[in-house]
């Protein structure tokens, strides 16, 4: 009797599993749309504020540099944003400074810290509305790419956490897993974003007239004008006016005080550089103390 009960006990889960499998309803897979894709800016489009600034803030909580350093960079970013001043000479100087500080940092360390800090600081700053737009493209079988001046390693972390296809970001040169302090090309900002999207389209066989791009900044007009459908997300005043003039959809997920606050943290290019300087200082100090 015991053996019979034991045999029934062992076979019942198997029978239940087989029955469930037979009763399962197969949902027709989404037919991949191989010619269409969506391109999303990150800072103030997909995420409230600047991703690299949040990364630097995460480093500050780890004691890698002081909160006063972080405050100085935040003020500098706000000034640039309010002035609308992205002087190429200022960008070049700040870029070289950031690269000098990051030289010698390990790529794997940056990726690891990026994953930790995303989960701690950035995840709650993703705009739900923008995330839903990205998901709608994925549900339609389209690929979704982030396009940002943020370092590509951090951009990839964000894309992976959101379940997106991938990311285009600023590429810092590395050798044997260590940053050299030089860029491969230049900051992925303004016209460079459009060139990156164009190059990706050639590689992936995309028809840009069937693609969509999203951004909050007039700095991204080259990318927005490259595709068949442009959408302004939480737009700055210049992009809002341009979008109205050209009948582009406008989606604003900010309300009241939140809209005012999120307008302050940085324009894409200078903000990425300023935050990069902060992150670079932190990593530099970290490696000096480890040495």
């Amino acid at each position: 009797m015991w053996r019979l009960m034991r045999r029934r006990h062992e076979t019942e889960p198997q029978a239940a599993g087989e029955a469930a499998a037979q009763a399962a309803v197969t949902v027709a897979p989404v037919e991949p749309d191989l010619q269409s894709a969506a391109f999303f800016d990150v800072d103030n489009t997909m995420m409230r504020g600047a991703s690299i600034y949040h990364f630097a803030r995460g480093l500050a909580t780890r004691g890698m540099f002081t909160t006063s350093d972080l405050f100085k960079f935040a003020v500098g970013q706000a000034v640039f944003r309010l002035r609308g001043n992205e002087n190429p000479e200022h960008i070049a100087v700040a870029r070289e400074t950031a690269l000098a500080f990051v030289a010698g940092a390990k790529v794997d360390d940056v990726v690891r810290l990026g994953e930790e800090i995303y989960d701690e600081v950035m995840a709650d700053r993703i705009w739900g509305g923008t995330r839903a737009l990205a998901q709608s493209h994925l549900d339609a079988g389209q690929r979704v790419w982030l396009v940002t001046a943020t370092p590509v390693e951090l951009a990839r972390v964000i894309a992976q956490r959101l379940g997106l296809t991938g990311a285009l970001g600023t590429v810092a040169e590395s050798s044997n897993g260590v940053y050299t302090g030089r860029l491969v090309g230049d900051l992925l900002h303004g016209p460079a974003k459009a060139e990156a999207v164009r190059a990706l389209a050639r590689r992936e066989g995309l028809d840009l007239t069937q693609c969509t791009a999203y951004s909050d900044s007039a700095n991204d007009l080259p990318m927005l004008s490259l595709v068949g459908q442009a959408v302004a997300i939480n737009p700055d005043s210049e992009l809002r006016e341009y979008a109205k003039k050209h009948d582009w959809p406008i989606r604003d997920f900010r309300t009241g005080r939140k809209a005012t606050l999120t307008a302050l943290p940085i324009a894409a290019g200078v903000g990425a550089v300023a935050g990069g300087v902060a992150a670079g200082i932190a990593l530099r100090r970290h490696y000096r103390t480890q040495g």
Side-chain angles (χ1 to χ4, degrees), residues 33-38 137-138 141-145 165 204-206:
D33 186 344
L34 300 179
Q35 289 190 300
S36 303
H137 287 282
L138 294 172
Q142 299 176 4
R143 286 164 285 182
V144 177
W145 296 82
T165 306
E204 300 292 320
L206 299 172

Side-chain angles (χ1 to χ4, degrees), residues 15 184 207:
V184 178
D207 180 353

Side-chain angles (χ1 to χ4, degrees), residues 100-121:
F101 276 115
V102 83
K106 297 177 181 177
V107 176
D108 287 347
D109 285 349
V110 172
V111 173
R112 174 180 55 81
L113 288 167
E115 292 172 343
E116 293 177 4
I117 292 170
Y118 176 87
D119 294 337
E120 295 171 6
V121 180

